[in-house]
């Protein structure tokens, strides 16, 4: 409905009323209803691209300014250009590039925020989660569920960089954040490397293991090698989806739910030359190119992306992807939250 034109007198009477009720900490709904209850999502966040080639050197510079120990976590936050100062890449998600240099330790702590890592660059680092270490290899997807102890270290001779994804904005929104530092900076290994994959990640679980539906997964590393092999198998079988090509969702193997309750993660393969049709969904999504190169169109913007580039696509913006070569993308979003709340929608164009 188009608003009826107001006389100067009516306008003045309303303005005077609004200012008077302002003193009672009240404001009229009818001035903001359209923005509060929009017909379709109106994200403030913008689509944005961080080219690894452009930001890698900035991350290395941070390594000369501050140690991992002093920083606790030496991370450059990827801030959505429309949300500067808020430490977030979408309304609900945080992302950052973390650097750990040879010999360094990022000390053990735990927090109610859930975190994922996607290893991008360098070899020789590990992440320890509740007493088990995992060697970080490029493309590996590693999680630290809420309130698990975690520390990172670099036993190799190269700088190692990974992308962090956390639900920091969700936990902040809910004012439910707790954190604590461990007394020792590195956790003592309690189990051998690979233990959680053996117990929970081989299509079996310990015979008396009985997780609740919302429990995070005990498998905390999803090796890239396995994801790539699965995707290549799908490609060999043919019939890519017109909107998604070959796209898989990472799961908690014991429940089929997302690895962590607040963040969903996905791996996608686009065959060489394949172009997806336009697709949009309500979960603002962070995409990372792990292999190959592609052109991504988000709304009116077109970007050519290659390995380790990060692209954020806000809610309800149309994405299409065209691969120059066989390409693999990792992505993460708040989709499990939206699904649990009955809010999630998608549209295939
Ligand atoms: O590695 O524990 O990017 O606690 C932000 C907060 C990483 C981490 C971040 C964190 C971490």
């Amino acid at each position: 409905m188009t608003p009826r034109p107001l006389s100067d007198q009516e306008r003045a009477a309303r303005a005077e009323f609004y200012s008077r009720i302002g003193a009672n900490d009240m404001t009229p709904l009818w001035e903001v209803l359209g923005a509060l209850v929009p017909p379709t999502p109106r994200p403030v966040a913008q689509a944005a691209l961080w080219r690894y080639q452009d930001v890698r050197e900035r991350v290395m510079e941070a390594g000369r300014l501050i140690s991992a120990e002093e920083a606790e976590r030496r991370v450059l936050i990827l801030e959505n250009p429309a949300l500067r100062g808020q430490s977030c890449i979408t309304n609900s998600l945080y992302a950052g590039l973390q650097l750990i240099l040879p010999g360094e330790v990022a000390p053990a702590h735990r927090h109610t925020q859930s975190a994922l890592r996607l290893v991008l660059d360098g070899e020789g680092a590990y992440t320890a989660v509740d007493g088990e270490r995992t060697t970080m290899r490029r493309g590996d997807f590693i999680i630290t569920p809420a309130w698990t102890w975690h520390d990172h270290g670099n036993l190799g001779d190269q700088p190692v960089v990974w992308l962090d994804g956390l639900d920091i904005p969700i936990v902040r929104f809910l004012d439910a954040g707790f954190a604590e530092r461990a007394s020792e900076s590195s956790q003592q290994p309690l189990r051998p490397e690979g233990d959680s994959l053996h117990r929970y990640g081989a299509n079996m679980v310990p015979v008396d293991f009985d997780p609740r539906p919302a429990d995070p997964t005990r498998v905390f590393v999803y090796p890239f090698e396995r994801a790539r092999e699965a995707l290549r198998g799908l490609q060999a079988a043919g019939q890519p989806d017109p909107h998604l090509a070959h796209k898989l969702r990472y799961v908690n193997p014991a429940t089929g739910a997302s690895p962590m309750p607040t963040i969903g993660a996905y791996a996608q393969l686009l065959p060489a030359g394949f172009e997806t049709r336009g697709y949009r969904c309500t979960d603002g999504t962070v995409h990372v190119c792990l292999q190959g190169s592609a052109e991504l169109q988000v709304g009116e913007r077109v970007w050519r992306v290659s390995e380790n580039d990060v692209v954020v696509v806000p809610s309800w913006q149309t994405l299409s992807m065209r691969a120059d070569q066989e390409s693999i993308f990792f992505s993460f979003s708040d989709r499990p939250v939206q699904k649990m709340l009955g809010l999630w929608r998608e549209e295939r164009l």
Side-chain angles (χ1 to χ4, degrees), residues 73 75 94 96 98 109 111 115 117 150 152 162 164 166 168:
R73 295 294 183 268
V75 178
Y94 158 106
Q98 181 158 175
H109 69 190
H111 37 69
R117 335 274 167 201
H150 54 284
H152 317 293
W162 63 81
D164 283 324
L166 285 90
I168 286 172

Side-chain angles (χ1 to χ4, degrees), residues 46-48 90 283-287 296 298 311-315 317-319:
Q46 285 173 12
T90 68
D283 48 325
T285 303
V286 179
H287 300 262
L296 265 56
V298 187
V311 172
V312 61
V313 180
S315 170
Q317 295 202 6
T318 301
L319 169 68

